[in-house]
Amino acid sequence: MTRYLITGAAGMLGQDLQQALAGRDVTALSRADLDITDQDAVAAAVAGHDVVVNAAAYTKVDDAESHEDDAAAVNARGPAVLADAAVAAGARLVHVSTDYVFDGNGTSPYREDEPTDPIGAYGRTKAAGEAAVRRIAPDSSMVIRAAWLYGAGGPNFAKTMIRLAGSHETVSVVTDQVGQPTWTGDLARQIVAMLDAEVPAGIYHGTNGGQASWYDFTRAIFTEVGLDPERVRPTDSSAFVRPAPRPAYSVLGHDAWARVGVPAMRDWREALHAAAEAGVLTA
């Protein structure tokens, strides 16, 4: 029987991974249970497992600008430690990365093999983590780039917008950042599907299909939960100055799935409707 280890198991994706792997032999370790930068602890945790899914990450994008060393510890050095341990144990490693490894200046979906060029500290640390995983475990690692995640198990944009609707007559949301809203439930099931299919090592894009601006996404969220989408007002990024730059275009291509015979993830609108039906869209 295949034995699975999930790191970062208390996070939004980690919780959905546990659900997607229900009924299987799973060890689920949260940040409190395992420091992925601790080489000895990681080696002991990975030993005896056949698959390691790393959902641990430093995701505070703005804080990373002034705490890049802290972000690098989790996003770059941690994955390297996990990759070393996975190779030693003969385990496959799935490492979850991000659209922030690209500069956001694209006009067509980013290919899986496109050169990375991050514009901020968070993206730099995640790109370094990807590179370490692929260097250390080139034949047994799968990097899954995710983006615009929302789900039941943690704070996220969808929940924030619904909460704001309870205290504001209107909400202003940017139209000049475009990406792919992605339900962590769908991503978790996609990761399990790729493991079951024993896809080749490499880089895959784990995002729902289609594209939307944050404004489009918010209007769709409001519609799904029975709020008036006209309460969502368009604005641009100049209205929200933040420490970290955001990629303007974060649409990821899905050609790698076709090459390995695994269906790409469904359109983001279908996923959002299913998430709403499942009770995920609550503040």
Side-chain angles (χ1 to χ4, degrees), residues 65-247:
E65 291 298 310
S66 53
H67 299 87
E68 189 163 352
D69 285 348
D70 294 338
V74 180
N75 293 342
R77 292 192 291 278
V81 171
L82 282 165
D84 280 328
V87 169
R92 287 182 289 165
L93 172 62
V94 178
H95 172 63
V96 180
S97 191
T98 175
D99 58 308
Y100 274 74
V101 300
F102 296 118
D103 62 13
N105 293 327
T107 55
S108 60
Y110 285 100
R111 303 185 314 275
E112 292 87 351
D113 61 355
E114 202 145 338
T116 59
D117 187 19
I119 57 175
Y122 170 69
R124 285 193 295 271
T125 63
K126 292 296 285 185
E130 283 190 13
V133 166
R134 296 296 300 135
R135 182 182 69 253
I136 295 166
D139 300 323
S140 56
S141 66
M142 287 72 68
V143 170
I144 309 295
R145 292 187 183 127
W148 291 33
L149 295 179
Y150 66 91
N156 58 76
F157 179 85
K159 290 184 178 182
T160 298
M161 291 300 102
I162 295 168
R163 186 176 69 250
L164 286 175
S167 57
H168 294 71
E169 182 58 34
T170 63
V171 295
S172 295
V173 187
V174 300
T175 60
D176 58 353
Q177 293 175 27
V178 177
Q180 294 159 311
T182 298
W183 180 19
T184 51
D186 273 11
L187 176 56
R189 286 184 286 272
Q190 186 77 355
I191 289 171
V192 173
M194 68 178 286
L195 288 168
D196 289 348
E198 298 186 350
V199 303
I203 297 173
Y204 299 84
H205 286 164
T207 50
N208 282 119
Q211 66 180 58
S213 68
W214 289 114
Y215 170 77
D216 299 328
F217 183 31
T218 306
R219 286 179 61 89
I221 292 165
F222 274 39
T223 299
E224 288 291 349
V225 299
L227 296 171
D228 182 2
E230 296 306 313
R231 293 174 61 191
V232 184
R233 301 293 173 81
T235 188
D236 60 40
S237 298
S238 66
F240 297 96
V241 178
R242 295 176 174 179
R246 264 62 176 175

